[in-house]
Amino acid sequence: MAMVPVKVDLSAKTCVVTGGSGSIGREIARNLAAMGATVIVTSPGLDRADAARADIAASTQSRRVLAMKLDYANRPSIKEFADTFAERHERLDVLVHSAAWWSPDREQTPDAIEMTWMVNVLGPHILNRLLTDRLKASAPARIVHLVAPHAGDLDVEDTDFDQRRYDGWAAFRQSQQAAQMLAAALAPRMAIHGVNVQLCVPASNVRSGLHRHARGLKRLRLAIASKLFGASPAAAADAPVWLASAPDVSPGNKLWLGRKEVERRFRDAARSQVLWDTVERQANGLMSKPGLGQSGLFRLPL
């Protein structure tokens, strides 16, 4: 049965959609803009973000769609985005994480962090924490994390694949497990401040550009599966938009497949705490490096 589209007055809301130049992210941003929200579309390249902004503004006739650069692979970019956003916007009502990365080849950031881990796990975690004050001040606010249905292979002791043979698919699956566990760990920490954290698998299969770097038979299999069984980006955007805006959405710390709640995996509290501590340590170490204008040891806000 087709879902009833969400139609809520968001004219008083400010929303950030990371990966907003991508297929699903753009449709999420389009829907939020159509409901009147101020929407900040981000992308690693400002030209791509601005192209998405222009497309969304034209289709919704909204003058409240903005473009900002946010490159999770570049730590100064994360800090610059958070600082600039805080200077320009008093509120942050909705933060949607739709940016994602996958590659068959091992790539590193300028800080020598494995790219998939940085873009899918560490970067979003840092941004959540840097924008915590804005989210608290805007409560009731929401964070919506998009994840893929494929998750597993997490090795907390070797997140960068320094001790394992690198496998792009294993790195992606690891990042998705970590994203699920971190969102679940973040939810109770933010709930006490009136911030609802939701975790969403938009669809079992989506026609997107996430696997554009695949090669050989894997590329062919993914292309065929996407074409035959994949949901369109517009259809996949339905659940994240609903979680971001619908007034009847239940409190967070749940996993959704579309608009249906499903059993959340990776519920081991002790292992989740180990992961949380590991990522906090990685984030604080990364953001304490020279070049961001801090004095002393950087600490992410609670």
Side-chain angles (χ1 to χ4, degrees):
M1 186 175 74
M3 296 294 182
V4 177
V6 181
K7 293 189 181 299
V8 182
D9 180 8
L10 299 181
S11 56
K13 306 295 185 181
T14 298
C15 308
V16 169
V17 181
T18 73
S21 65
S23 54
I24 302 176
R26 184 177 302 211
E27 295 307 319
I28 294 170
R30 194 188 311 278
N31 278 271
L32 296 175
M35 290 186 274
T38 296
V39 180
I40 293 88
V41 176
T42 84
S43 181
L46 186 56
D47 54 343
R48 290 170 53 193
D50 195 55
R53 177 207 61 78
D55 171 46
I56 295 166
S59 65
T60 62
Q61 298 301 300
S62 173
R63 296 184 178 181
R64 300 174 62 188
V65 185
L66 309 172
M68 290 182 67
K69 179 179 179 179
L70 172 60
D71 183 358
Y72 277 141
N74 186 292
R75 64 186 173 89
S77 177
I78 303 173
K79 185 66 164 55
E80 181 180 1
F81 173 85
D83 289 345
T84 302
F85 178 86
E87 290 172 3
R88 296 177 181 176
H89 301 278
E90 295 182 357
R91 301 185 59 84
L92 175 55
D93 300 275
V94 177
L95 173 58
V96 180
H97 291 282
S98 68
W101 171 265
W102 177 86
S103 172
D105 300 315
R106 190 179 193 279
E107 299 184 37
Q108 289 187 323
T109 71
D111 292 297
I113 298 174
E114 194 276 318
M115 185 75 75
T116 305
W117 185 257
M118 183 67 200
V119 174
N120 296 353
V121 180
L122 192 52
H125 182 79
I126 291 170
L127 187 65
N128 280 340
R129 303 299 298 278
L130 291 178
L131 295 179
T132 289
D133 289 343
R134 279 291 179 272
L135 288 161
K136 288 180 183 179
S138 307
R142 299 183 186 184
I143 300 173
V144 181
H145 280 273
L146 275 63
V147 292
H150 316 289
D153 303 317
L154 175 62
D155 185 342
V156 179
E157 301 298 324
D158 187 29
T159 60
D160 278 348
F161 282 79
D162 292 326
Q163 301 169 32
R164 292 176 284 170
R165 179 179 178 275
Y166 183 79
D167 179 280
W169 187 239
F172 180 74
R173 282 171 47 82
Q174 168 178 263
S175 74
Q176 299 308 288
Q177 179 180 346
Q180 290 191 34
M181 293 170 67
L182 287 172
L186 179 66
R189 289 172 165 87
M190 297 300 288
I192 61 176
H193 302 293
V195 181
N196 187 336
V197 179
Q198 299 285 357
L199 186 63
C200 177
V201 178
S204 298
N205 192 352
V206 182
R207 296 196 297 270
S208 73
L210 177 61
H211 299 296
R212 61 190 178 276
H213 300 297
R215 294 191 294 264
L217 289 176
K218 179 176 282 291
R219 183 184 183 94
L220 180 61
R221 287 196 301 267
L222 290 169
I224 293 173
S226 178
K227 184 175 182 179
L228 294 178
F229 308 111
S232 69
D238 172 79
V241 170
W242 174 68
L243 290 169
S245 61
D248 58 345
V249 171
S250 61
N253 208 10
K254 296 180 179 179
L255 175 62
W256 302 88
L257 174 57
R259 294 195 196 185
K260 179 182 179 181
E261 183 183 352
V262 294
E263 184 177 359
R264 182 165 59 83
R265 302 166 59 196
F266 316 119
R267 300 172 64 93
D268 187 299
R271 195 175 185 197
S272 293
Q273 186 62 52
V274 170
L275 173 64
W276 179 272
D277 292 342
T278 297
V279 173
E280 287 277 282
R281 186 167 58 252
Q282 290 176 342
N284 282 313
L286 178 66
M287 301 303 283
S288 293
K289 289 186 175 183
L292 296 184
Q294 275 97 231
S295 58
L297 184 62
F298 181 85
R299 288 294 181 193
L300 292 169
L302 296 174

